[in-house]
Amino acid sequence: MPNVTELDHPLLRHKLALLRDKTTTTGMFRQVAREVSLLMAYEVTRDLKLEPIQIETPLETMQAEHLAGKKLCIVSILRAGNGILDGMLDLIPSARVGHIGLYRDPTTLRPVEYYLKLPNDIADRLVILVDPMLATGHSAMAAASRLKQAGVKAMKFVCLLAAPEGVAAFTEAHPDVPVFTGAIDRQLDSHGYIRPGLGDAGDRFYGTR
Ligand code: URA
């Protein structure tokens, strides 16, 4: 699928199996999700631009490289997005962080924004939008639209698992936003869960039910 990357690193696939397993405890789930998120941050930042920099090693002067261009901002879709924020920040500690909260209006079934906090300079940053589950795609699509409205010009979307239906809807609505996922599962069920999936990501992260 164009603009969709299903990550295939063996460590990531191994850890995803642990996340899917219903016997994985809340503490373990959190820890493994943090590790998976770090690996996903590594993959999603693969094309960041570098520029030369002259440094002094203890022995001599050399031309090294450091990151150039746009600074990063990770935007978490509440609440489950927060579960993958920490792992990403482990790898990119200087990234700014934004939050967006959306709930589904019971009548229209459309996402309604209830919280938004973004860095002032978000328009100048590369945004990594995170939500563990790309199910119907409605929240991710609404969040991406809201970020574009705030001036964001460069964005990537990262999730642990995706449903084919969510991938299709998101890429149609935002063909300019590359999607990175740990796996594209079989289908969305009639309750909006990804199958086989991992259950409710928020509940698994926070031990709620
Ligand atoms: N949200 C979840 O947490 N799990 C799903 O399977 C779908 C949406």
Side-chain angles (χ1 to χ4, degrees), residues 162-198:
E165 296 87 341
V167 172
F170 187 87
T171 52
E172 191 183 336
H174 296 286
D176 53 326
V177 180
V179 173
F180 292 78
T181 181
I184 301 176
D185 276 9
R186 190 181 65 244
Q187 68 181 105
L188 207 57
D189 72 14
S190 56
H191 301 286
Y193 280 96
I194 297 174
R195 297 293 187 112
L198 54 74

Side-chain angles (χ1 to χ4, degrees), residues 78 101-106 109-115 139:
L78 297 173
L102 302 160
Y103 73 90
R104 190 158 69 145
D105 183 291
L109 302 183
R110 303 196 79 77
V112 180
E113 182 183 309
Y114 67 85
Y115 185 79
S139 302

Side-chain angles (χ1 to χ4, degrees), residues 51-57 60-66:
E51 66 185 8
I53 179 178
Q54 184 169 305
I55 59 164
E56 304 281 336
T57 78
E60 61 180 285
T61 301
M62 74 167 282
Q63 287 290 326
E65 292 172 307
H66 71 169

Side-chain angles (χ1 to χ4, degrees), residues 99-196:
H99 292 91
I100 180 161
L102 302 160
Y103 73 90
R104 190 158 69 145
D105 183 291
T107 318
T108 64
L109 302 183
R110 303 196 79 77
V112 180
E113 182 183 309
Y114 67 85
Y115 185 79
L116 183 74
K117 189 75 183 173
L118 304 172
N120 289 338
D121 61 353
I122 192 151
D124 303 322
R125 291 178 177 269
L126 166 62
V127 170
I128 303 176
L129 177 62
V130 300
D131 195 358
M133 310 298 272
L134 182 62
T136 60
H138 292 155
S139 302
M141 288 190 288
S145 297
R146 185 64 185 85
L147 290 169
K148 286 179 180 176
Q149 205 184 322
V152 172
K153 292 172 278 301
M155 190 182 346
K156 300 182 183 194
F157 177 73
V158 175
C159 58
L160 297 177
L161 295 182
E165 296 87 341
V167 172
F170 187 87
T171 52
E172 191 183 336
H174 296 286
D176 53 326
V177 180
V179 173
F180 292 78
T181 181
I184 301 176
D185 276 9
R186 190 181 65 244
Q187 68 181 105
L188 207 57
D189 72 14
S190 56
H191 301 286
Y193 280 96
I194 297 174
R195 297 293 187 112

